Amino acid sequence: MSYIETMIECGRKDYGRNFWSYMRGDMSAYTRLMENSAPDTGAFHMPTGSDSKYDKAILRESIARQLSSVFSSYDSAAKIWAADSDDLAEFIPEFGDIAIRDAVNDFQKLPVERYKLATLLRLPSEFVADAAFDFESYLIRRLAKCFGRAEDKAFITGTGTGEPTGLLHDTDGAETGTSAALSYDSVIDLYFSVKPEYRRGGAWLMNDGTAHALKKLKDDSGNYLWRGSDDTIMGKPVVISEYMPSAESGAKPILFGDFSYYWLIKRSPVTVKVIKELFALNGQTGYLAFEFLDGKLIRRDAVKALQIGA
């Protein structure tokens, strides 16, 4: 069955009923689903309605999805076009010539991978079988939390080997230089190192400890760097992530820029399969779920990092 045919099938009401009956342990429903299993995982795509609920749930959980631009590229293509524009409009005299500019560099063809993200959840079988409980909403929330945390970590620290390339690696060579320690001036320098076009939609990304330190920074006149009334620095919001490093030698504790130029590319909808026998003696049912995705910063100068030197 082709991918398009599978997605059409996932939108059918009987597919949704069979999927959730299977999730609750009805193995006869498994037989009815078999021809729709994903060939690379042996798991089953969430029904279309449930997949939409999952997208909303993970958006609430994932900083990466809130900051980045999220796209779907479900076909087998190994490359996608990334387009942006530096085009200008200009005033010309009546009957004047219109300048023709080269736009070739506005387009990049980027390689896209299918990195597999997996999680195994275990739930009490008695709980799973309780028809009075909203099991669909519960499982979707659990999966959104698990995958959201993993996406956030890859968004920031991913190495590009077996996982997407995160911002701390994609900003190599794009730092403003080094600072011996966090200082008022080094943060201001980081802000102005980013082009104005990227500052307009800019945000700060750091961990809790770095935020605590910046809240104490003042200039020579006693003015705080951090504006407490709306939790901004230079009028730009501050986002806290546990995956950002602390302000130690060699680390990049602060990122600033327009994170929408980081593309999070969904390569397949979530798939799930039930694992019963392995946990039966414990009175549990297992759920093995998969995502396939990639991520990359398509404009290297859109986000820059402050690096702490020795």
Side-chain angles (χ1 to χ4, degrees), residues 220-249:
D220 293 337
S221 301
N223 299 307
Y224 282 98
L225 171 69
W226 188 298
R227 189 165 69 184
S229 60
D230 57 3
D231 279 335
T232 61
I233 298 174
M234 302 292 288
K236 303 303 177 183
V238 179
V239 179
I240 305 297
S241 172
E242 62 185 297
Y243 300 112
M244 284 294 292
S246 298
E248 300 171 347
S249 178

Side-chain angles (χ1 to χ4, degrees), residues 119-167:
T119 186
L120 177 60
L121 307 180
R122 290 185 292 171
L123 303 177
S125 297
E126 183 180 5
F127 158 76
V128 170
D130 186 350
F133 194 80
D134 187 356
F135 178 66
E136 177 186 0
S137 295
Y138 179 81
L139 185 61
I140 286 172
R141 285 198 304 271
R142 283 282 299 270
L143 291 177
K145 282 189 175 183
C146 289
F147 284 134
R149 286 193 290 264
E151 287 182 7
D152 283 352
K153 185 176 181 181
F155 170 66
I156 294 170
T157 68
T159 62
T161 302
E163 61 184 351
T165 303
L167 288 163

Side-chain angles (χ1 to χ4, degrees), residues 77-99:
K79 292 187 178 182
I80 60 170
W81 284 103
D84 195 20
S85 175
D86 293 323
D87 294 338
L88 297 173
E90 54 190 357
F91 291 99
I92 59 173
E94 189 71 18
F95 308 117
D97 293 333
I98 300 174

Side-chain angles (χ1 to χ4, degrees), residues 236-270:
K236 303 303 177 183
V238 179
V239 179
I240 305 297
S241 172
E242 62 185 297
Y243 300 112
M244 284 294 292
S246 298
E248 300 171 347
S249 178
K252 300 175 186 176
I254 304 174
L255 293 169
F256 175 73
D258 188 339
F259 297 102
S260 70
Y261 285 91
Y262 187 94
W263 284 16
L264 185 66
I265 305 157
K266 299 190 299 179
R267 300 289 278 135
S268 172
V270 174

